[in-house]
Amino acid sequence: QAQLVESGGGLVQAGDSLRLACAASGRTFDSYVVGWFRQAQGKEREFLAAVTWSGGNTYYADSVKGRFTISRDNAKNTVYLQMNSLTPEDTAVYYCAADVILYSGIVYYAQSRSYRYWGQGTQVTVSS
């Protein structure tokens, strides 16, 4: 059973940056894909980015490409989401998720249903 714990959320001003962390434990993650999602109040969960644990291949939603960066630190079993130039529209609860996904590619990595393991979420609030 994999456990995921997000951290790094908070209240920031528009234009600021934040780095979220997703600490993973409970199993070996070599074959896993880790994704970041967010859910704003009253909206559906939205895919942001994903990384393959072993190869470090990264995938991004068009809406955050160039502004958000996903990375992983294998030694710390942690995946990060660096978020720059934040706007009030980025206000949401941010979740990380992980699983072994048999098929490769963003089509599969972007789907919430591809992941069995989820963190509890961390709130990001961006004021104008």
Side-chain angles (χ1 to χ4, degrees), residues 25-97:
S25 63
R27 60 192 311 126
T28 302
F29 290 91
D30 289 351
S31 300
Y32 276 62
V33 175
V34 177
W36 279 99
F37 294 76
R38 68 184 178 190
Q39 188 163 19
Q41 197 165 7
K43 295 187 177 181
E44 293 187 355
R45 191 164 294 186
E46 176 189 13
F47 167 77
L48 302 174
V51 62
T52 59
W53 197 277
S54 58
N57 299 314
T58 57
Y59 305 82
Y60 294 94
D62 288 342
S63 59
V64 301
K65 198 174 293 183
R67 202 162 59 92
F68 290 8
T69 302
I70 190 171
S71 62
R72 88 254 189 262
D73 185 330
N74 287 2
K76 295 183 178 180
N77 259 18
T78 300
V79 173
Y80 301 98
L81 185 69
Q82 176 68 42
M83 306 186 295
N84 298 328
S85 303
L86 289 165
T87 73
E89 288 68 39
D90 294 313
T91 295
V93 178
Y94 284 69
Y95 299 91
C96 64

